[in-house]
């Protein structure tokens, strides 16, 4: 995956820790990890992001699902300790109709069972669109989870531009205000990664359908502001747009050009 990332002009990448819609995992191959670490060092690849499978639900109180979620997260985190600097991103989950407050409490309880004082891997809560019974649509819900977790120093947030836009935060028209609100409620210092996606739908649609950069409701000019924003520009950006590899290479080139563009005007 590192080689593929370099081939399309990326200096980081996101990967699924296992089948995103399943749970099985391959045996841990230490030689493979060693090879990757050597390659990453040579190529300057840092801050890669591991994405937990969609089948987890830390917000559930159903015992079998809790066991599966706990065991998967523990195993994923145990493995990630072999990759220094990697972060682990997960969807907080679904409250199954019990309400986001109750759901947030369940997520915090799960994190308390999974996080260890000794771990180096940061665990990121992904901002969600609020589709169905999703937990984590509002910044307040994220804050509520973090507040209730004992080892909160292990927690960060990954902001998905499509999800927050679909969740009702206008990152297209009011980026500054949205980031201020995030800062007030969660703290910008907790923001560790950005999922860069346009949205097929309108602000507040709660749909979660990603579109290519510049082809959706967020629009190209908003992405120019996002990749150049002083609070965001140094974070790792991950594309989750509907693309083939060539498409990703084009989007990376476009975003790099937009980011470079601005450096002519911003003097430090
Ligand atoms: Fe995600
Ligand atoms: Fe995402
Ligand atoms: Zn999504």
């Amino acid at each position: 995956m590192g080689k593929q990332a370099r081939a399309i002009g990326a200096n980081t990448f996101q990967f699924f820790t296992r089948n995103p819609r399943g749970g099985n995992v391959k045996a841990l191959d230490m030689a493979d990890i060693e090879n990757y670490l050597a390659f990453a060092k040579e190529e300057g690849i840092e801050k890669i992001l591991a994405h937990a499978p969609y089948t987890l639900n830390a917000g559930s109180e159903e015992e079998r699902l809790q066991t599966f979620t706990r065991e998967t997260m523990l195993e994923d985190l145990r493995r990630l300790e072999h990759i220094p600097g990697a972060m682990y991103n997960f969807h907080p989950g679904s409250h199954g109709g019990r309400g986001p407050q109750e759901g947030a409490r369940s997520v915090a309880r799960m994190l308390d069972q999974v996080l260890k004082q000794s771990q180096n891997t940061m665990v990121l809560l992904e901002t969600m669109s609020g589709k169905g019974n999703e937990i984590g649509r509002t910044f307040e819900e994220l804050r509520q989870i973090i507040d209730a977790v004992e080892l909160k120093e292990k927690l960060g947030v990954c902001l998905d531009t499509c999800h927050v836009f679909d969740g009702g935060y206008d990152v297209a028209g009011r980026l500054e205000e949205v980031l201020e609100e995030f800062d007030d409620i969660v703290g910008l210092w907790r923001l560790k990664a950005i999922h860069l996606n346009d949205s097929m739908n309108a602000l507040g649609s709660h749909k979660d359908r990603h579109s290519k950069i510049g082809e959706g409701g967020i629009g190209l000019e908003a992405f120019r502001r996002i990749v150049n924003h002083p609070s965001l520009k140094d974070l790792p950006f991950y594309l989750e747009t509907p693309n083939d590899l060539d498409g990703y290479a084009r989007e990376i080139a476009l975003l790099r050009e937009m980011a470079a563009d601005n450096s002519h005007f911003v003097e430090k």
Side-chain angles (χ1 to χ4, degrees), residues 14 51 54 89 91 126-128 158-163 194-197 208 210 238-240:
Q14 173 174 245
H51 197 305
Y54 297 133
N89 174 71
H91 294 181
E126 181 168 350
T127 60
M128 302 309 292
C158 172
L159 187 142
D160 185 310
T161 54
C162 167
H163 295 178
I194 307 281
H195 284 169
L196 216 48
N197 304 304
D208 188 6
H210 302 186
Y238 305 91
L239 292 165
E240 299 175 317

Side-chain angles (χ1 to χ4, degrees), residues 56-61 69 73 90-94 103 106-108 110 135:
L56 303 188
N57 184 3
S60 171
E61 285 296 303
T69 301
M73 291 182 103
F90 78 108
H91 294 181
S94 156
S106 305
V107 177
M110 177 61 66
I135 306 157

Side-chain angles (χ1 to χ4, degrees), residues 211-213 239-251:
S211 75
K212 293 181 185 174
I213 299 298
L239 292 165
E240 299 175 317
T241 48
N243 269 309
D244 54 15
L245 272 182
D246 286 343
Y248 285 125
R250 277 195 298 275
E251 284 189 347

Side-chain angles (χ1 to χ4, degrees), residues 17-260:
T17 55
R18 51 186 81 211
N19 179 345
R21 312 229 168 254
N24 292 340
V25 72
K26 285 191 291 187
L28 190 61
D29 181 347
M30 282 313 290
D32 207 34
I33 290 181
E34 293 301 329
N35 284 338
Y36 166 73
L37 290 176
F39 179 81
K41 195 169 170 200
E42 226 164 82
E43 297 286 334
I45 298 177
E46 287 175 64
K47 295 181 179 170
I48 62 171
L49 188 56
H51 197 305
Y54 297 133
T55 42
L56 303 188
N57 184 3
S60 171
E61 285 296 303
E62 206 253 301
E63 209 179 305
R64 268 183 45 200
L65 197 47
Q66 277 190 341
T67 305
F68 171 69
T69 301
R70 184 171 56 246
E71 284 172 2
T72 300
M73 291 182 103
L74 280 167
E75 172 67 7
D76 283 353
L77 286 169
R78 189 178 70 77
R79 290 167 172 239
L80 284 167
E81 284 301 294
H82 296 292
I83 309 175
M87 300 185 289
Y88 186 56
N89 174 71
F90 78 108
H91 294 181
S94 156
H95 57 70
R98 293 179 302 128
Q101 255 74 33
E102 271 304 310
R105 271 191 274 276
S106 305
V107 177
R109 275 196 294 272
M110 177 61 66
L111 287 167
D112 275 341
Q113 296 173 68
V114 161
L115 299 176
K116 295 198 168 83
Q117 184 71 62
S118 60
Q119 80 184 56
N120 293 305
T121 306
M122 265 288 187
V123 175
L124 308 187
L125 300 157
E126 181 168 350
T127 60
M128 302 309 292
S129 69
K131 187 180 63 181
N133 292 324
E134 268 172 358
I135 306 157
R137 179 187 71 80
T138 67
F139 300 156
E140 285 83 358
E141 284 166 43
L142 299 174
R143 172 64 189 262
Q144 200 198 333
I145 297 170
I146 295 166
D147 273 348
V149 170
E150 201 169 334
L151 293 171
K152 37 175 86 53
E153 69 270 24
K154 310 290 182 192
L155 291 178
V157 172
C158 172
L159 187 142
D160 185 310
T161 54
C162 167
H163 295 178
V164 289
F165 185 73
D166 283 19
Y169 293 102
D170 189 4
V171 287
R174 300 173 54 251
L175 179 64
E176 206 57 52
E177 288 92 327
V178 171
L179 292 177
E180 264 169 42
E181 194 174 335
F182 185 94
D183 196 28
D184 285 345
I185 297 166
V186 178
L188 275 170
W189 61 277
R190 272 211 202 271
L191 187 57
K192 303 294 178 192
I194 307 281
H195 284 169
L196 216 48
N197 304 304
D198 211 330
S199 170
M200 274 187 195
N201 296 290
L203 177 70
S205 63
H206 308 301
K207 287 270 176 45
D208 188 6
R209 300 282 307 281
H210 302 186
S211 75
K212 293 181 185 174
I213 299 298
E215 294 185 10
I218 298 177
L220 198 58
E221 284 315 302
F223 284 101
R224 189 188 301 277
R225 289 190 289 273
I226 289 168
V227 297
N228 286 297
H229 193 282
S231 302
L232 309 179
K233 68 182 182 43
D234 296 321
L235 292 170
F237 294 105
Y238 305 91
L239 292 165
E240 299 175 317
T241 48
N243 269 309
D244 54 15
L245 272 182
D246 286 343
Y248 285 125
R250 277 195 298 275
E251 284 189 347
I252 290 166
L254 171 71
L255 291 161
R256 281 194 191 286
E257 197 183 292
M258 291 199 296

